[in-house]
Amino acid sequence: MARDAAHPVLRARQRRAAVSREAVDDTGRLLSTGIAWIITLQAFVNIAVTVGFAPSKGFTLPFISYGGSSMISMLAAVGLLLSVAREGRQARVGGAVNSV
């Protein structure tokens, strides 16, 4: 049961790791790796508490549990992750990165 609950989290982390490998510079690589670890760790702690493997720590489940500041910080983190992915994709294709 715990394996079935953790499977979507592992798949999402794998996708974020792919963004890290395609990052243009070291800053993007470190940023995307850190964001992937934060989201994955929060999800695993929440799953462990729900299944009963760990004591309650008060973490919210990313993008699911209601928590105003937690939701805002996770959305900001994913926005940064999308920005790194877009820059990596544009550099791979050969286009210029648009700065707004």
Side-chain angles (χ1 to χ4, degrees):
M1 183 168 122
R3 185 186 65 172
D4 294 336
H7 184 70
V9 175
L10 291 173
R11 293 290 297 162
R13 186 184 178 288
Q14 188 177 28
R15 280 185 235 124
R16 287 187 291 271
V19 169
S20 175
R21 283 190 299 270
E22 295 176 1
V24 176
D25 56 356
D26 287 338
T27 304
R29 193 170 296 114
L30 290 172
L31 184 68
S32 60
T33 302
I35 291 170
W37 274 108
I38 288 171
I39 294 173
T40 303
L41 180 67
Q42 251 190 331
F44 271 126
V45 167
N46 195 297
I47 290 169
V49 168
T50 302
V51 175
F53 291 149
S56 178
K57 296 292 181 192
F59 288 146
T60 58
L61 185 61
F63 309 111
I64 304 296
S65 299
Y66 180 75
S69 59
S70 175
M71 181 69 77
I72 289 173
S73 63
M74 284 294 128
L75 290 174
V78 170
L80 289 171
L81 195 63
L82 288 172
S83 174
V84 170
R86 184 187 66 205
E87 287 183 12
R89 189 177 313 117
Q90 287 178 345
R92 190 178 65 232
V93 172
V97 176
N98 296 332
S99 59
V100 176

